[in-house]
Amino acid sequence: MLGPRKEQMMKFLLDQGVDSSIAGSHPNLETPLDLLVFCGALGLGKGQPLFPCLRLLLRYTKETSYEDTPEETIRGVLSRFRGSSEEFKFLQQHCCPSYYEMPQETRIAVAATAAYGVWDAYHMPELIQTMLGPNPLTAEDLQLEGPWRFDSKNTTLVHCVVRKIGASQAALQGSHPWKRRVRHQSQTSGQSLGINMKEGYYYLYKSWNKLFMDFLQAGVGLNHVVDQQTLLLAFLEGYLDWLDVSKCQVSSPTEALRKWLTDLKSAGIDLQKFGEIEDSIWKAELSQRNLGPGDEENGCHQLIGFSYGSCVHDWSVWLSSWDNFIRDFWSLIERPIETMAGEWPSE
């Protein structure tokens, strides 16, 4: 939370001559402004507004750096923004006055970059709509591909939104207390207000899903493949990423998927046809199997298979954890037999 004390501390440091554009060590969040707009308003509940600190930083910035080109805008502070829609418009007018005059592709790239990730806030779906602007979007616009993931793989805004749907479903199943005390922005006395976390994540799920339904109305493909990822896999990836980051155990990806499929069916989606196309992509090995980072420090989850049908309960998914120990075990099994000098002959 960004309370009055932090604002006062920030003003004190700036008054003492601290450079407001000083670079930090994080590879993506270089300046105080980058860090402020990225994590200043994340988390469920209504956090303290960014306006006071935003105004302070912008006032003390020695040289205003405008993002004049689409490339600068996509790589700039707007794509890292996680605050409210009103705060986004305030920052946009200061940093990139021509933002809404830029090509639609630029605004889609900014929105997709902002939407990708795990952590969330109540206002995020509304923020994405603000980033996109008032102009109607076609399926071709929404399925624009670009390297907007943290790992620089290609994705689309639609895939990023479906990841959010999966993450919110994981949060609804996560093994953590559903109530916590958070400070409400209107509680100037410092009193705390109980927030029901389950209701919050349910609201997030509904908001992200409504945005996705708008995309479907625009004609986006439900089986669109980008960099070996379908929307079904994007849902599962968001689900697993949230559980991994939250240190929660995988509970029931099938149950989470069925809840989303229920909403899809209510919107008129033919689940049988959806499953048939997904299955053909799977059998042609055009989609990925591993879901997760899969690097040296972290394992990943492997999708073994899935079932489908015209009814929601015909659908199931089977996952297997694939960590470093399993990887090392099979690499040793597959290694050719080695002989050592001085050993006894086997025969």
Side-chain angles (χ1 to χ4, degrees):
M1 300 293 180
L2 298 171
R5 291 183 180 179
K6 290 190 176 181
E7 179 189 347
Q8 294 170 5
M9 178 61 71
M10 181 180 293
K11 186 177 186 306
F12 170 78
L13 292 173
L14 293 170
D15 285 339
Q16 298 305 306
V18 173
D19 185 1
S20 61
S21 60
I22 187 172
S25 58
H26 195 285
N28 296 318
L29 305 176
E30 299 174 350
T31 69
L33 181 61
D34 290 330
L35 189 61
L36 173 69
V37 301
F38 179 77
C39 61
L42 283 181
L44 292 182
K46 295 182 179 179
Q48 295 290 339
L50 300 182
F51 273 126
C53 292
L54 269 177
R55 290 192 179 99
L56 268 176
L57 280 176
L58 295 176
R59 185 192 313 159
Y60 281 81
T61 300
K62 297 178 181 179
E63 296 181 4
T64 302
S65 177
Y66 289 105
E67 298 172 358
D68 293 325
T69 68
E71 292 74 18
E72 291 172 341
T73 303
I74 295 171
R75 296 194 305 266
V77 68
L78 293 184
S79 65
R80 303 183 181 111
F81 195 83
R82 301 297 186 275
S84 69
S85 295
E86 293 76 14
E87 292 160 344
F88 175 83
K89 291 178 181 178
F90 172 79
L91 183 63
Q92 169 261 313
Q93 291 169 4
H94 181 89
C95 295
C96 186
S98 62
Y99 176 75
Y100 288 106
E101 299 170 6
M102 289 184 175
Q104 184 69 66
E105 291 82 356
T106 302
R107 298 196 293 277
I108 290 174
V110 170
T113 303
Y116 184 83
V118 176
W119 300 119
D120 220 338
Y122 285 141
H123 55 257
M124 282 294 291
E126 180 185 355
L127 171 64
I128 297 304
Q129 290 178 311
T130 300
M131 289 176 164
L132 292 173
N135 297 334
L137 298 172
T138 66
E140 184 179 2
D141 293 330
L142 294 167
Q143 293 178 160
L144 179 70
E145 301 178 14
W148 305 315
R149 295 166 52 110
F150 293 160
D151 55 12
S152 297
K153 290 183 179 180
N154 276 359
T155 189
T156 71
L157 173 61
V158 182
H159 284 73
C160 293
V161 169
V162 171
R163 285 185 85 258
K164 290 290 192 179
I165 296 173
S168 57
Q169 272 297 323
L172 285 169
Q173 295 184 0
S175 56
H176 56 77
W178 283 124
K179 287 184 179 291
R180 72 175 184 184
R181 310 295 290 181
V182 298
R183 181 168 295 174
H184 194 279
Q185 63 182 13
S186 65
Q187 301 286 356
T188 55
S189 63
Q191 297 178 352
S192 59
L193 179 69
I195 297 294
N196 189 312
M197 299 290 286
K198 191 167 188 176
E199 290 179 0
Y201 283 120
Y202 181 75
Y203 172 84
L204 264 179
Y205 167 75
K206 284 298 189 182
S207 298
W208 284 119
N209 201 45
K210 181 181 182 302
L211 184 58
F212 175 69
M213 293 301 176
D214 292 340
F215 293 169
L216 286 181
Q217 289 293 322
V220 299
L222 197 55
N223 300 96
H224 185 53
V225 183
V226 180
D227 213 340
Q228 292 191 302
Q229 186 177 71
T230 63
L231 294 181
L232 174 64
L233 295 175
F235 175 94
L236 293 174
E237 184 182 70
Y239 173 89
L240 293 169
D241 279 358
W242 193 94
L243 293 177
D244 286 343
V245 173
S246 304
K247 307 302 180 185
C248 294
Q249 294 182 349
V250 175
S251 49
S252 177
T254 292
E255 179 184 347
L257 178 62
R258 286 175 178 175
K259 290 184 180 301
W260 185 46
L261 291 172
T262 299
D263 288 333
L264 290 180
K265 187 171 183 177
S266 298
I269 297 299
D270 185 339
L271 297 186
Q272 179 71 30
K273 182 178 179 181
F274 173 36
E276 288 175 355
I277 299 175
E278 192 77 22
D279 186 55
S280 65
I281 295 172
W282 173 268
K283 289 179 178 177
E285 299 185 354
L286 299 177
S287 57
Q288 64 193 46
R289 298 292 193 270
N290 295 337
L291 302 170
D295 53 28
E296 294 181 358
E297 297 181 359
N298 304 286
C300 66
H301 301 275
Q302 189 175 56
L303 179 61
I304 299 174
F306 65 95
S307 63
Y308 65 92
S310 58
C311 297
V312 170
H313 289 282
D314 294 332
W315 287 73
S316 296
V317 291
W318 296 278
L319 300 173
S320 173
S321 295
W322 181 263
D323 56 28
N324 290 326
F325 296 106
I326 297 176
R327 187 161 40 239
D328 292 343
F329 171 79
W330 285 110
S331 65
L332 290 173
I333 291 294
E334 296 172 356
R335 180 184 299 175
I337 298 176
E338 299 179 1
T339 59
M340 298 179 59
E343 68 176 352
W344 291 99
S346 57
E347 296 181 357

